[in-house]
Every structure is written in structure tokens, then in C-alpha cells.
Amino acid sequence: MLKSLFIQNYALIKSLKISPSESFNTITGETGAGKSIILGAMGLLLGKRADTKALLDPEVKCIVEGIFDIQQYDLKTVFEENDLDYDKECIIRREISPSGKSRAFINDTPTTLDIVSEIGSYLVDVHSQHDTLLLASNAYQLQMIDHYSGTYDSLKAYQNIFNEYKKTVRQLEQIESDASHLQQEKEFNQFQFEELENARLKPDEKEDLEERLKLLEHAEEIKIKIHEAINLLEENEFSVEDGLKNATNSIQQASKFSSSLENLATRLESTWIEIKDISDELNKKAEDIVYDPAETENVRARIDLIYQLLTKHRVTTIEELISVKNDLEDKITRSANVQFDIEDLKIKKEELYKNCLNKAKELSKARGSHYSDFTNKVNELLIRLGIPNADLKIEVNKTELTTVGIDEISLHFSANKGVAPQLLKKAASGGEFSRLMFAIKYILANKTAMPTLIFDEIDTGISGEIALQMVDMMKKMSEHHQLIAISHLPQIAAKGNKHFFVFKDHSSDISESKIKEVNEEERVTIIAEMIGGKDPSESAYRSARELIG
């Protein structure tokens, strides 16, 4: 239920706010006063697109905000699925900036127009003369039947199985496509895997090999330099070792006469021992370093292989090559096991199809038992609404499984005696179509928690007794549902629990559309003018008072 509507800087509206009755509301006004503008603003709350042309003042932001009471609609799951905060009140707001940027919010959470449209569809149902395409939709027609026949829950249960079936079909198609692709690549993957497997790569190998190659390629030069160092340390006439040894002996002897030299003697001895140890290690290094052309070539070949593999697989490290090898192994394993997965999915698909088909047949049978009753009730209402020869029929065909079952229905209609019912678009005029849609909405109003119903001049082409019949039906519908009727008929305008009047204000530089809730005295005058024109007679006033009751 719409609790309040706020519009700012939209089309000819500078600012307005209305709080409709929870039952029956009427909106009237002269042609061009702005009734359709208000409807357009409501469209923004239902996810319709808009641009800067909708701004009255191009320098000011446009805001449209609706506050809805949603306690009766059982929408908590829908909100959770869209990551929205749920509360008993839902606030939908649209903002259009002067730059043209459009933003949407639900309960102050930024969201997309698709989500606004989804949530809005549960809250507001705008019915106008232009709903032909909607009523011609097979899904919409079946939705009507499911609400009427009480099979809507069965439809939802069927759809859960159908969605699982379609998901399995997609999985099977994907895995069969993958299997074909894997089979085509199997030999190539196997070759690449074996090439990497045979390479027996180690994570830090490249750096170690490059260091080893550097040593091997400069072995002779390194060995010469080591021998030069050894010669200086221990082999020539004035070797470092002999000099340190002699210096140590001298200071040790001198320390007998001066204890302050003992520490220096100890340090010299330690240095001599360290130099001797370095000399020993250099000798071992010299023995270990051997110029080996064969090993040099092997190391160089190994490094070349690693770089070839890195280039081939477009990676930079051996760790990445090992990862590539593991991925190839997974693909080879999958290609070997994929047939088992395909067979499992085929069995699952077949079981789901049978289950789905059985549910669809049950749903179809349940629907079928209500077709005649539904069309009979609609035809009875159409007679009350001034189409005495109304003949609505439902033609049913069976289809493959779809999201709505195996039924494909089409409404056929005739308003004239002796004329066979035809498809709606060929058979119904605008006025007849409006009354047909109204009759359907009236029937469904007792079957489900319907959203706020907005009737946009569906009374076009009717008057007198028929208008009274229609407004009586509206009043009955409004006992359980919120109705907003945009009308030009005094019979309808007089029966609303709240009456809003749309008018143009020319008092400023720019004409503005405004709306106000009228009091009883103003209402009598407005309805009298709808009956008798701008200067209504006393009889028009009497008629207005009679209509208001």
C-alpha cells in the first residue's frame, strides 16, 4: 500500500506530496493539468528510465520518493536475495541530477533499476487502456489463471524443479563442450605434461645452475687467482703465515717482561691461526675447481632447456612452470573422468525431466478445471459493464516444458452476438479491452494480495449506469486493496475515500502542476463542474451531492 508520494522538480511539478487513503482514491483534473505527469513520476518508482528533460528546473535535482506499507506482501525473501534491508515499510527513491545521472535507492540502499523494477512490480500495478500487450502475454494469462484457480503455489513448486532441471541441462551442455575440447587437446596436453614431467624441475634450480655455470666458465681464472693468494699467504719467502708466526713469537717473548703485551700476543696468534685456516680452505677449493668442458656443456644445456620451457609457456619462474604442469595433469585427469560425470548428469537430467513433466501435468490438470468458471465469471461481469454479448474463451495448447509449465493459452474474445471469439488484439476496442482488464482485476482481487492498483482513465467510453456499476466494483475491491483511479467521470470521482484534484498554477513565471486533497465543499463544486461545465447549474450541484451520497 502506498502511504505517501513525494515529487520534486519533475516535469511541471515543482514540489508536491500526497498521502492516499488505504482504500479508494480518486484523482481528477482538467486535461493537461498534470495527471499523466504524476503517473509518469510513479513510473520512476517502478524502474522506468528518465533523463534531464524530466527536470522542471535544469539546475536542480529531481526527486521522486514513495513510502509503502509492505507487511502483507511476504517480500522478505525477495529483499534478502537482493541484499536489501527488510522492514514493514519500504522507501523507494529515485534521483535525477542536472548532469543526467540517475540513482535509485531502496530503504536508503543504492540499487539498480532492475531491482527497483522487480520490487516495484510487487507494490504497484498500473492499469491503463494500453495494457493489450501485457494481457496478450502467455505468462501473464497463466499467472491470472494460477491466482484464480489457487495453483500459484503449485506453479512455484514446479518452477523450483524446472529451474533445477534447466541448471542440470546447462551443466551437461557445458561439460559435454568441455569434454569435446579436452579430447581435442588431450594428446597435446599429454605431450606438454610429459615434457615438463621429464624435465624434473626444482623450484630454485635455475639460480643454482646459473651460479654453477659462471664458476665452470671461469674455472681456470678462478684457480689462478686462488693460487696467487695461497702463494702470498704461505708459499713465498715472505709469506703472510711466516710473518705472522714470527711476529707472534716476538711479542710472546716480549710479554714476559711486560704483561700489557700478552693480549696483543694472543690476538696475533689468533690471526695466524685464522690465516692458516683460510690457506687450507683455499687449497681445498683449488683442488675442487676443475675445468670440465663436458659438465659446462651439460649445465649450459640444462639452463637452455629451462629458458625454452619458460618462453614456451609464457612464464618467468620455475614455480610457474610446475603450476602449468599441475594444471595439465588436472586436464588429463578430467579428460579421463569426464565421461563418468556426463553419464551421472544424464541420469540426473532424465530423472528431473520426468519429475518436472509429472508436476507440469498435474498443474495443467488443476488449471484446466477452472478455465470455464473463470471465463463465465468474466463474461458475467462484462455484461454488468455494458457488454451484453461478451464472450471470452480460453484456447489451450500443450508445449514443451517452459518456466510456466506445458500450457500455452490464449484469450479469445467477442463483444458482438454471432461473431466468433478472436484474439484480443483483433477483437476488442480500447473501451472493451479496458473493461475486460478491469473485470479480470476485480475477480483476482479476491484471490490474492494485490499491489496498489492504479486505474488510468479506464472509464473512457463509458457513462451512466455502466459507470455506476464500475465504481461499485471499485468500492468493493478497495475493501481489501488500495485503489487509485484517475478519472474524468463524476460517478467515479464522487465515491473515493479521498479525492485529489490536479490543477495548473500560472501565478509565477513558469506554469506548475499542483495537486491537493479537496474537502467536501470543494469536492461538490469539482464534481458539479464535471457534470455541468465551468458554471454548473443548481441541478448539477444537486446531482453532485447525490453522487457523493
Side-chain angles (χ1 to χ4, degrees):
M1 179 181 73
L2 179 64
K3 295 184 68 175
S4 71
L5 174 66
F6 172 73
I7 305 172
Q8 174 182 289
N9 197 42
Y10 178 77
L12 294 178
I13 297 173
K14 186 175 182 180
S15 180
L16 67 79
K17 182 175 183 179
I18 60 172
S19 298
S21 162
E22 63 183 24
S23 51
F24 190 20
N25 302 270
T26 58
I27 299 177
T28 64
E30 295 180 358
T31 301
K35 299 188 296 296
S36 61
I37 295 175
I38 295 172
L39 201 59
M42 280 294 301
L44 294 180
L45 299 183
L46 304 181
K48 300 290 177 62
R49 298 191 177 275
D51 55 34
T52 53
K53 294 178 182 177
L55 275 60
L56 174 64
D57 183 343
E59 303 299 322
V60 178
K61 178 168 61 176
C62 165
I63 298 175
V64 180
E65 180 177 278
I67 301 177
F68 298 86
D69 181 341
I70 62 172
Q71 295 179 83
Q72 63 177 330
Y73 296 137
D74 191 23
L75 296 178
K76 189 172 183 179
T77 301
V78 178
F79 275 68
E80 289 174 349
E81 289 173 351
N82 289 294
D83 294 323
L84 296 170
D85 294 331
Y86 177 81
D87 199 351
K88 64 181 181 180
E89 282 190 355
C90 172
I91 302 174
I92 301 179
R93 186 170 76 255
R94 289 287 304 279
E95 297 180 357
I96 304 165
S97 68
S99 65
K101 183 177 180 181
S102 173
R103 297 198 300 169
F105 302 85
I106 295 181
N107 292 340
D108 290 327
T109 299
T111 189
T112 65
L113 288 188
D114 286 340
I115 294 177
V116 170
S117 179
E118 179 185 357
I119 299 295
S121 68
Y122 292 102
L123 307 181
V124 179
D125 181 2
V126 179
H127 171 51
S128 70
Q129 298 181 67
H130 311 292
D131 283 342
T132 310
L133 291 177
L134 178 63
L135 190 55
S137 161
N138 179 59
Y140 183 79
Q141 293 173 359
L142 284 173
Q143 185 182 64
M144 291 186 324
I145 296 299
D146 287 324
H147 280 307
Y148 179 78
S149 60
T151 53
Y152 198 70
D153 289 341
S154 298
L155 171 65
K156 291 299 180 184
Y158 160 80
Q159 287 176 333
N160 289 335
I161 301 172
F162 178 77
N163 291 337
E164 182 65 21
Y165 166 70
K166 294 301 290 184
K167 179 182 176 182
T168 303
V169 170
R170 289 192 296 271
Q171 288 177 333
L172 180 58
E173 290 173 348
Q174 183 63 52
I175 200 170
E176 286 179 332
S177 174
D178 290 344
S180 175
H181 186 64
L182 287 169
Q183 191 61 36
Q184 292 173 8
E185 291 188 340
K186 184 178 179 181
E187 292 185 7
F188 181 62
N189 288 339
Q190 188 70 40
F191 169 77
Q192 288 191 314
F193 170 75
E194 290 177 357
E195 183 180 46
L196 291 170
E197 178 73 6
N198 293 336
R200 304 195 179 282
L201 300 166
K202 299 175 182 177
D204 299 324
E205 181 181 10
K206 183 166 74 74
E207 291 75 14
D208 294 342
L209 285 170
E210 289 173 339
E211 184 65 26
R212 178 64 178 163
L213 180 62
K214 190 187 299 182
L215 187 147
L216 288 169
E217 289 179 335
H218 299 86
E220 291 186 355
E221 182 181 351
I222 294 170
K223 201 162 188 176
I224 289 171
K225 295 299 180 183
I226 289 176
H227 279 300
E228 286 178 358
I230 292 172
N231 186 50
L232 290 169
L233 291 174
E234 66 177 25
E235 292 182 355
N236 68 16
E237 184 179 354
F238 303 103
S239 69
V240 173
E241 279 189 33
D242 288 344
L244 281 171
K245 184 176 182 182
N246 292 333
T248 300
N249 289 334
S250 296
I251 298 303
Q252 283 176 342
Q253 291 175 9
S255 67
K256 295 176 182 178
F257 307 104
S258 176
S259 59
S260 64
L261 296 174
E262 289 178 358
N263 183 50
L264 292 173
T266 300
R267 289 169 63 188
L268 279 169
E269 185 178 18
S270 296
T271 303
W272 172 70
I273 292 170
E274 179 67 15
I275 292 299
K276 191 173 186 330
D277 187 56
I278 290 172
S279 296
D280 292 341
E281 285 196 30
L282 286 173
N283 278 298
K284 290 178 182 178
K285 287 284 185 184
E287 291 175 4
D288 292 341
I289 295 173
V290 179
Y291 174 63
D292 187 342
E295 185 183 358
T296 302
E297 191 57 37
N298 287 338
V299 172
R300 187 179 289 118
R302 180 68 176 174
I303 291 174
D304 287 345
L305 172 63
I306 290 172
Y307 273 99
Q308 286 173 9
L309 293 173
L310 289 171
T311 302
K312 179 177 182 178
H313 294 282
R314 298 179 181 178
V315 294
T316 57
T317 65
I318 289 180
E319 287 87 348
E320 290 174 303
L321 279 177
I322 293 172
S323 178
V324 170
K325 184 196 76 169
N326 292 337
D327 288 344
L328 288 167
E329 187 174 21
D330 288 343
K331 288 181 180 180
I332 293 168
T333 302
R334 288 208 314 272
S335 65
N337 297 331
V338 71
Q339 288 305 320
F340 296 107
D341 295 334
I342 288 174
E343 290 305 316
D344 289 344
L345 281 173
K346 282 183 176 178
I347 293 171
K348 182 180 179 181
K349 172 190 168 184
E350 188 63 27
E351 289 175 350
L352 284 170
Y353 178 81
K354 290 178 181 177
N355 195 3
C356 212
L357 187 60
N358 288 336
K359 292 289 184 184
K361 288 179 178 177
E362 292 174 8
L363 179 61
S364 179
K365 184 177 180 181
R367 287 167 172 166
S369 63
H370 291 85
Y371 289 145
S372 294
D373 187 48
F374 176 78
T375 54
N376 288 339
K377 279 190 168 60
V378 173
N379 287 331
E380 289 172 7
L381 289 174
L382 289 174
I383 292 172
R384 288 176 57 188
L385 292 172
I387 310 179
N389 296 305
D391 188 5
L392 178 69
K393 294 189 180 302
I394 296 176
E395 290 197 3
V396 186
N397 292 305
K398 300 302 179 187
T399 68
E400 291 297 318
L401 292 175
T402 70
T403 188
V404 290
I406 55 172
D407 296 321
E408 184 176 82
I409 69 173
S410 57
L411 299 183
H412 287 62
F413 179 73
S414 173
N416 300 301
K417 190 174 182 179
V419 177
Q422 302 179 62
L423 288 172
L424 283 178
K425 62 182 180 181
K426 298 179 179 179
S429 66
E432 292 166 345
F433 177 78
S434 292
R435 280 174 275 179
L436 172 59
M437 277 295 287
F438 179 78
I440 291 172
K441 301 275 185 178
Y442 178 80
I443 290 173
L444 295 182
N446 294 323
K447 299 289 184 178
T448 182
M450 295 180 74
T452 295
L453 290 171
I454 299 179
F455 292 114
D456 180 21
E457 297 190 350
I458 63 162
D459 48 22
T460 299
I462 66 172
S463 59
E465 181 61 30
I466 305 304
L468 292 174
Q469 289 283 350
M470 180 175 281
V471 77
D472 285 344
M473 293 166 68
M474 285 184 178
K475 288 289 285 184
K476 190 170 183 180
M477 291 171 71
S478 70
E479 292 174 3
H480 304 288
H481 305 282
Q482 184 184 47
L483 265 67
I484 300 174
I486 300 173
S487 177
H488 63 277
L489 287 182
Q491 293 95 327
I492 291 177
K495 298 301 181 182
N497 297 88
K498 282 189 177 183
H499 183 163
F500 297 93
F501 183 68
V502 182
F503 61 98
K504 274 190 179 177
D505 182 353
H506 304 287
S507 60
S508 62
D509 293 338
I510 300 176
S511 296
E512 293 180 31
S513 288
K514 294 186 176 182
I515 187 171
K516 67 176 182 178
E517 181 183 349
V518 299
N519 58 36
E520 287 304 309
E521 184 178 342
E522 291 171 324
R523 192 178 198 185
V524 170
T525 300
I526 289 170
I527 293 172
E529 289 178 349
M530 294 175 75
I531 296 171
K534 274 296 180 184
D535 296 309
S537 63
E538 184 56 37
S539 64
Y541 276 100
R542 284 197 301 272
S543 296
R545 292 187 185 94
E546 288 178 11
L547 286 173
I548 294 172

